[in-house]
Amino acid sequence: MSVPVTARPPLRVAVLGCGVVGTEVVRLLTTQADDLAARVGARLELVGIAVRDTATARDAVVDVALLTTDAEKLVEQADVVVELMGGIEPARSLLLRAIAGGASVVTANKALLAQDGPTLYAAADEAGVDLYFEAAVAGAIPIVRPVRESLAGDTVERVLGIVNGTTNYVLDKMASEGLDLDQAVKEAQALGYAEADPTADVEGFDAAAKAAILASLAFHTRVSLDDVDRQGITGISADDVLWASRTGYVIKLLAIAERGVGGVQVRVHPALVPEAHPLAGVRGAYNAVFVEAEAAGQLMFYGRGAGGQPTASAVLGDVVSVARHRVLGGRGPVESRYAELPVLPADQARTRYQIRLDVVDRPGVLAQVAAVLAGHDVSIETVRQSPLGDSAVSAHLVITTHAAPDHAQRATIEAIERLDVVERVVSVLRVEGS
Ligand code: NAP
């Protein structure tokens, strides 16, 4: 016979941070209390909410009597600590303190996990408590649990993700309305999709943190933020977006983690994705992660990657999981790094490129460019040549290559740039997802 929920002592939950996500987590803990108790098997009692300033006006759902600036004391009183402050410190020290005190912890903090996940894992392991972080990658989308648990019996080959909603919104606006990057970023800021300082998003730092987390889980190998080869979208012009569409592609900022020869390769960069690929249809601020596994084949996870409510959904899922473990015993998955695969430099990946060039418009030019490619063992998939505006003397060449080592592609581009017949290399973008 099961023990009634009311017969069990409540589990004490501390929430660190009451901002965009914290407020919605408090709302769900408060308004869904009875359902959560039934699902967990014990009531979840919110014992405190740590903030920087208790005088700040809060949503009506927040009981101001629970607010405190003494986060250190709060974590010592809790069975479950939910960290939603962000940043490295004091989040890191508070989580370690909570773990050392025997609390299970849930965090949405991708920056901390990508920088110092192993320290948190080791502490949780030693204390025998759970460390859950579904919300740290792609907000509401269940992707950490599928990769960490559902695919634990398979071999993941590749993870391709649109994991930053801000940049996806910006690139989508550029494609659908012909805006340039600055205009699209301003629009994203006006709608609250982008921060006043959009650097973390547009330069790819946010996506790189998520790529590191996904790669670690997918390949059972420690991958940190420093291992991720990162390039943001600031070099993407309205012209690039237009030419992508003319040649059957959409530009997306992708987080890519894949098995290579003798290791794994993890990178974030804008890429041309064929219009027919499922990731090409991910519009606006949505996120999606495409996983290729040996036995499962192709899987796609799609949904809202940010925002208070969607992210709170993922956080609460974790809270219920760790709380159930405390009621029923047992633990969730621990760090899996047994494979210890080397993280390969970006130039060892096999990539495809689309290269756009302005060239002198006369016979034999294409042959010269093709000879450079052949000389580097890079074969051409397609070439498109068109006159350059009104110019009778220049032409625009769009060359898409077959897959070749990235270092060979790079060397090819440098050699092409040196040809007399090449006026300029206008743009170089990788092609992914085909
Ligand atoms: P936020 O709106 O800036 O809120 C941060 C909260 O933490 C605020 O309540 C702040 O207190 C509190 N805080 C910050 N530093 C503190 C300190 N030193 N001591 C005590 N309290 C402190 O942040 P958020 O957008 O909710 O994000 C929280 C976490 O979720 C981050 O790790 C973020 O990466 C992650 N995340 C966010 C989203 C999203 O859509 N926003 C999506 C996925 C993951 P005050 O209110 O007093 O300033």
Side-chain angles (χ1 to χ4, degrees):
M1 209 179 78
S2 66
V3 181
V5 167
T6 46
R8 295 190 193 274
L11 288 169
R12 293 158 299 167
V13 179
V15 176
L16 311 182
C18 193
V20 175
V21 183
T23 302
E24 295 310 318
V25 165
V26 168
R27 191 187 311 285
L28 289 178
L29 280 170
T30 310
T31 59
Q32 309 287 318
D34 291 344
D35 284 322
L36 292 171
R39 292 169 198 172
V40 168
R43 291 198 77 78
L44 299 178
E45 183 193 350
L46 182 57
V47 292
I49 308 165
V51 291
R52 254 181 312 224
D53 183 359
T54 54
T56 303
R58 307 282 165 185
D59 186 286
V61 78
V62 177
D63 178 355
V64 291
L66 292 175
L67 295 174
T68 176
T69 53
D70 194 347
E72 290 193 359
K73 187 164 161 217
L74 178 61
V75 299
E76 286 168 1
Q77 299 162 0
D79 300 304
V80 176
V81 171
V82 185
E83 186 275 306
L84 302 166
M85 299 190 315
I88 306 299
E89 285 294 351
R92 180 178 174 279
S93 302
L94 288 167
L95 283 174
L96 291 173
R97 195 182 187 97
I99 290 168
S104 297
V105 295
V106 172
T107 177
N109 195 332
K110 61 222 132 193
L112 176 57
L113 287 161
Q115 187 173 309
D116 207 11
T119 304
L120 295 178
Y121 272 125
D125 216 19
E126 200 185 318
V129 298
D130 279 332
L131 166 65
Y132 271 56
F133 48 87
E134 182 61 69
V137 183
I141 304 174
I143 184 65
V144 169
R145 204 176 260 99
V147 174
R148 183 152 93 143
E149 299 183 46
S150 317
L151 291 168
D154 206 336
T155 302
V156 175
E157 294 293 347
R158 198 161 190 236
V159 180
L160 276 184
I162 296 172
V163 291
N164 181 271
T166 307
T167 44
N168 202 55
Y169 177 86
V170 166
L171 292 169
D172 191 29
K173 275 279 151 185
M174 291 173 76
S176 59
E177 294 178 20
L179 302 185
D180 68 25
L181 186 91
D182 284 349
Q183 289 170 317
V185 169
K186 284 201 178 80
E187 204 165 296
Q189 285 168 325
L191 289 168
Y193 290 140
E195 304 279 333
D197 176 2
T199 310
D201 293 322
V202 297
E203 294 293 358
F205 290 104
D206 174 81
K210 293 165 181 169
I213 296 170
L214 283 178
S216 305
L217 298 173
F219 301 119
H220 306 274
T221 288
R222 281 185 177 169
V223 178
S224 84
L225 187 57
D226 294 338
D227 295 320
V228 183
D229 188 75
R230 176 193 51 80
Q231 183 195 340
I233 63 166
T234 45
I236 300 295
S237 66
D239 201 38
D240 290 330
V241 174
L242 185 70
W243 273 97
S245 156
R246 281 182 186 164
T247 51
Y249 295 98
V250 179
I251 300 182
K252 297 290 183 191
L253 181 71
L254 295 184
I256 302 168
E258 62 190 0
R259 248 173 235 282
V261 180
V264 295
Q265 221 279 309
V266 192
R267 55 191 198 269
V268 166
H269 56 73
L272 294 162
V273 176
E275 278 166 355
H277 191 279
L279 287 176
V282 178
R283 306 285 309 271
Y286 275 81
N287 282 195
V289 184
F290 192 77
V291 180
E292 295 170 13
E294 210 174 272
Q298 298 182 331
L299 303 162
M300 170 111 153
F301 303 83
Y302 171 84
R304 291 191 188 278
Q309 282 188 323
T311 308
S313 162
V315 171
L316 259 294
D318 281 355
V319 170
V320 168
S321 293
V322 305
R324 277 181 183 149
H325 294 150
R326 294 188 82 93
V327 169
L328 299 170
R331 283 175 70 197
V334 296
E335 182 183 27
S336 175
R337 59 182 170 94
Y338 74 92
E340 289 180 354
L341 297 170
V343 182
L344 307 171
D347 68 0
Q348 286 190 32
R350 282 184 69 78
T351 51
R352 293 174 61 213
Y353 273 84
Q354 187 183 85
I355 309 157
R356 293 197 294 117
L357 324 165
D358 289 345
V359 296
V360 176
D361 193 3
R362 66 164 184 254
V365 169
L366 184 55
Q368 281 192 52
V369 174
V372 171
L373 282 143
H376 289 84
D377 257 350
V378 176
S379 62
I380 296 176
E381 186 186 276
T382 59
V383 184
R384 174 178 168 148
Q385 180 169 359
S386 34
L388 193 61
D390 298 332
S391 168
V393 290
S394 299
H396 193 63
L397 271 189
V398 183
I399 299 168
T400 308
T401 69
H402 282 295
D406 201 79
H407 56 81
Q409 302 270 18
R410 292 269 153 198
T412 309
I413 293 156
E414 280 170 25
I416 287 175
E417 233 163 2
R418 289 194 295 269
L419 288 176
D420 289 344
V421 292
V422 172
E423 292 174 355
R424 65 180 184 126
V425 174
V426 181
S427 150
V428 174
L429 280 168
R430 292 185 180 106
V431 179
E432 297 285 348
S434 48

